Amino acid sequence: MMTEMIKDMKGKENKIPINKPNNTTKKDKWWIYLIFFLIGIISYIISFVSGNIFLLPLIICSILFAIAMYKFKKQSFDFALRAFAISFATSSLIFYTGFFGGGLLGVGFASLFPFLILLILSAIVWIVFKERPLVNFSLKAFVVSFGTIFIIFSAVFMANSSLSLLFFFGAQDEATTSTSIYIESIAENITIYIPVLLDENKTVLKMYETPQITGNVSTAIIDTEYGQALMISGSGSGDYLFNWNEVPGKDTDRFVKWLEGIGDVRPGEKLDINKTDDGRTITVSGRSTRIYQLNEKGVLKFYRVEDIDMDGMSEIYLFNWNEVPGKDTDLFVMWLEGEGHVQPGEKLDISKTDDGRTITVSGRGTWTYWLKDKGMLEFHGVNKNFMRETFGQGLLFTKEENGQLNIYSGNNNKISIIEKHGILKEDTQTSDEFLKGFTISMSNYTSPEPFIQQSDSELRKIGVWVYSDSEVEKFSFRYSLDPGNRIQREVTSIKTEGRVHLREGWQVVNLSSVTMCWD
């Protein structure tokens, strides 16, 4: 309790008690702020994550409002219950009016408008009840809580706003053009000419002056009979791996170390290594069975031997079910071979169950066939020791040296070239103008139409001239044009269809061009 001295009309000083908020009142005030603020934020986020169930914040805040009325003002329970009912009914009515109204009007992010209405009305109630501190505190906390969330979500989720773009896509990138090239060959010396990107003045882009190269090649821009080109020249052998003739033998450890390096076997795994009499195939048996085989050109092929489960059905089968086994067995076996279930000439044991509904075929694998309703034939099989070629290990080949077949890795060369063109204005017209500003030499390439005029993911075919002075086993290249537009992301990609095989001389290589767009 504090007092203040004042003078009465006769000039006599009197002590008048003054009530001021004590520490307990201030503590209650801040607790109310904190509880309403945190629960408001948490309830809104939970609602958003759980599928836009926006009713949850309304229920929670109505309950808190009723508790505040009951607990802090010491009102009756009936009064608090009425406060909850009125609060929830009013806020729900306002919310759904704003939600569906905004949706009918086609307003973007209509789900945020009801909260704006609630905030405005809460501010009005706050002013009306300003003489009641605890109600005042509660409503102020409600306004601060949902006001903060409203501002954050409006700024972040407003379509194409700067904060929205930054939140979802990060800072805007510069527009770029790029070229990537991959070459893998067993030839010791190669020379290849490929097309280059040109600007609107038919000038070669400056990016070709500073390529990033992995491998033993160099590049230069030259003029050819078909136009300007990037000349790629390289020499040298790949890395020596092991002596094929000495596996199994004195190079077994080197061979196993190579297997571990490419992940075909595990370190320390117990292995059984054998070679066929003709010296063309090595079989490695451990946790799995792998086969390494030299083809007629001395290139190493990779195979994995495994059991394969297969299920399926067929409406077409060229045999009489009732005559298998029997006079239609040959037709049945011919159908099995055509489906790839058995190998031609494979020894088979064919049997049928007593009810005549299931046929079992045992050979290298075991297959079961049964008839379903309406004559549908279903099957399940397990192919034992199925040999399947595997890829991804790179190009390996033999080189005969001093009477020995040595295994080398192919010459792997990668070239990456990129040029930045600054940050562009983020709109569709600017992106289309950027994409139309480039062409490709030695080709029939034409700039794409604006994306909006293209059919969905339209794939265009392009023919380009490419020269090679030797055979190249694996070759690919790609061009990319990226305006860096975050609003409507458009990127044009022009590339070979996988890795192609180049022969000697000039040849046409087919490219596919597609402009991809996503928001």
Side-chain angles (χ1 to χ4, degrees):
M1 179 74 69
M2 300 180 67
T3 61
E4 184 176 337
M5 300 296 296
I6 62 171
K7 293 182 178 181
D8 60 13
M9 296 180 63
K10 296 181 179 182
K12 184 179 179 180
E13 292 185 346
N14 296 306
K15 292 183 178 181
I16 304 297
I18 305 287
N19 287 323
K20 292 189 176 182
N22 55 28
N23 291 335
T24 303
T25 303
K26 292 180 180 179
K27 184 178 180 181
D28 289 341
K29 170 183 175 180
W30 286 110
W31 268 112
I32 294 170
Y33 271 125
L34 183 62
I35 292 171
F36 270 73
F37 184 74
L38 292 180
I39 293 182
I41 291 176
I42 292 171
S43 67
Y44 192 91
I45 294 174
I46 291 173
S47 299
F48 189 82
V49 172
S50 59
N52 293 338
I53 308 173
F54 291 107
L55 203 62
L56 181 61
L58 306 182
I59 295 176
I60 290 178
C61 288
S62 296
I63 293 173
L64 291 176
F65 181 77
I67 292 174
M69 294 294 95
Y70 177 71
K71 180 70 176 177
F72 297 114
K73 295 299 293 179
K74 296 183 173 54
Q75 301 285 358
S76 67
F77 178 79
D78 290 341
F79 178 86
L81 186 61
R82 288 196 301 272
F84 164 75
I86 294 172
S87 171
F88 180 64
T90 304
S91 60
S92 298
L93 178 63
I94 294 170
F95 174 80
Y96 284 108
T97 300
F99 182 81
F100 290 111
L104 291 174
L105 294 174
V107 179
F109 298 97
S111 56
L112 293 176
F113 280 82
F115 289 109
L116 179 59
I117 298 173
L118 285 176
L119 292 174
I120 295 172
L121 292 182
S122 298
I124 294 173
V125 175
W126 172 22
I127 296 172
V128 172
F129 287 93
K130 64 182 179 180
E131 299 300 329
R132 299 186 180 182
L134 290 174
V135 177
N136 187 359
F137 299 156
S138 300
L139 289 171
K140 187 185 295 184
F142 180 90
V143 171
V144 171
S145 173
F146 279 96
T148 303
I149 292 296
F150 175 79
I151 292 171
I152 293 173
F153 274 71
S154 295
V156 171
F157 291 99
M158 184 177 295
N160 299 334
S161 68
S162 298
L163 189 57
S164 173
L165 293 172
L166 182 63
F167 180 81
F168 287 104
F169 303 107
Q172 183 183 0
D173 294 325
E174 295 185 63
T176 59
T177 52
S178 63
T179 301
S180 58
I181 306 161
Y182 177 84
I183 305 168
E184 192 170 8
S185 173
I186 65 176
E188 292 189 9
N189 299 288
I190 58 170
T191 299
I192 301 172
Y193 306 157
I194 70 167
V196 292
L197 284 173
L198 307 174
D199 63 18
E200 56 189 2
N201 299 317
K202 307 300 181 184
T203 303
V204 178
L205 299 186
K206 291 184 178 298
M207 66 180 186
Y208 289 101
E209 299 174 1
T210 55
Q212 297 180 357
I213 299 174
T214 302
N216 298 318
V217 295
S218 60
T219 64
I221 297 295
I222 63 170
D223 290 319
T224 73
E225 57 188 287
Y226 294 103
Q228 292 179 296
L230 179 70
M231 181 178 69
I232 304 169
S233 302
S235 61
S237 299
D239 296 328
Y240 170 75
L241 298 176
F242 58 89
N243 185 336
W244 178 267
N245 294 338
E246 296 296 337
V247 178
K250 66 179 183 181
D251 254 16
T252 296
D253 290 343
R254 193 180 186 102
F255 174 64
V256 171
K257 186 176 180 180
W258 168 73
L259 292 177
E260 294 172 352
I262 64 173
D264 276 9
V265 302
R266 296 182 179 181
E269 182 178 343
K270 185 177 180 180
L271 303 174
D272 182 20
I273 301 174
N274 297 286
K275 183 184 287 180
T276 56
D277 294 337
D278 61 5
R280 307 295 294 179
T281 304
I282 293 177
T283 300
V284 179
S285 301
R287 294 170 60 91
S288 62
T289 300
R290 306 251 179 189
I291 294 177
Y292 306 89
Q293 190 175 78
L294 294 177
N295 68 7
E296 65 279 359
K297 293 185 178 181
V299 175
L300 192 61
K301 296 292 185 179
F302 298 74
Y303 300 90
R304 183 186 181 98
V305 179
E306 57 191 350
D307 296 341
I308 298 180
D309 281 334
M310 294 181 63
D311 292 282
M313 61 180 61
S314 177
E315 295 179 307
I316 302 174
Y317 39 94
L318 307 176
F319 58 90
N320 184 335
W321 178 269
N322 295 328
E323 298 295 338
V324 178
K327 67 179 184 179
D328 264 16
T329 297
D330 290 343
L331 289 176
F332 176 59
V333 172
M334 187 182 301
W335 178 77
L336 294 178
E337 293 174 354
E339 293 292 315
H341 297 176
V342 302
Q343 298 297 316
E346 183 178 341
K347 186 178 180 180
L348 303 174
D349 181 20
I350 302 173
S351 61
K352 183 184 289 182
T353 57
D354 293 339
D355 61 6
R357 303 296 295 177
T358 304
I359 294 176
T360 301
V361 179
S362 300
R364 293 177 58 186
T366 301
W367 290 81
T368 303
Y369 304 85
W370 62 95
L371 287 176
K372 300 290 286 184
D373 296 337
K374 298 181 181 179
M376 181 69 70
L377 178 65
E378 293 193 19
F379 55 83
H380 171 77
V382 179
N383 260 340
K384 296 287 186 180
N385 299 324
F386 184 83
M387 191 168 75
R388 177 171 56 88
E389 186 173 3
T390 60
F391 302 92
Q393 296 85 354
L395 180 65
L396 281 79
F397 64 97
T398 58
K399 184 187 294 186
E400 189 169 352
E401 297 172 319
N402 299 321
Q404 299 294 318
L405 283 178
N406 293 325
I407 301 294
Y408 284 83
S409 61
N411 289 313
N412 297 338
N413 300 282
K414 297 179 181 178
I415 304 173
S416 297
I417 307 169
I418 189 169
E419 182 173 340
K420 297 182 178 181
H421 300 270
I423 295 179
L424 306 181
K425 183 180 178 181
E426 290 189 289
D427 58 53
T428 302
Q429 181 179 353
T430 302
S431 295
D432 288 337
E433 290 174 354
F434 175 80
L435 297 178
K436 290 177 70 68
F438 302 94
T439 188
I440 301 174
S441 67
M442 304 197 304
S443 74
N444 60 356
Y445 176 79
T446 57
S447 299
E449 294 294 327
F451 185 81
I452 196 171
Q453 298 178 18
Q454 300 179 25
S455 59
D456 293 343
S457 300
E458 179 185 5
L459 188 65
R460 299 191 301 146
K461 299 295 183 180
I462 299 166
V464 299
W465 284 104
V466 173
Y467 170 82
S468 177
D469 70 342
S470 60
E471 188 176 10
V472 175
E473 284 72 18
K474 297 180 180 180
F475 171 74
S476 64
F477 63 97
R478 172 181 180 175
Y479 307 106
S480 179
L481 310 175
D482 185 356
N485 187 342
R486 296 172 300 175
I487 296 176
Q488 184 174 349
R489 193 70 184 267
E490 294 181 53
V491 178
T492 294
S493 177
I494 308 158
K495 60 183 180 179
T496 55
E497 297 174 346
R499 291 179 178 172
V500 299
H501 189 111
L502 294 182
R503 62 180 188 277
E504 292 185 33
W506 284 100
Q507 57 214 281
V508 174
V509 173
N510 291 320
L511 307 182
S512 59
S513 172
V514 63
T515 299
M516 297 172 289
C517 180
W518 61 94
D519 294 327

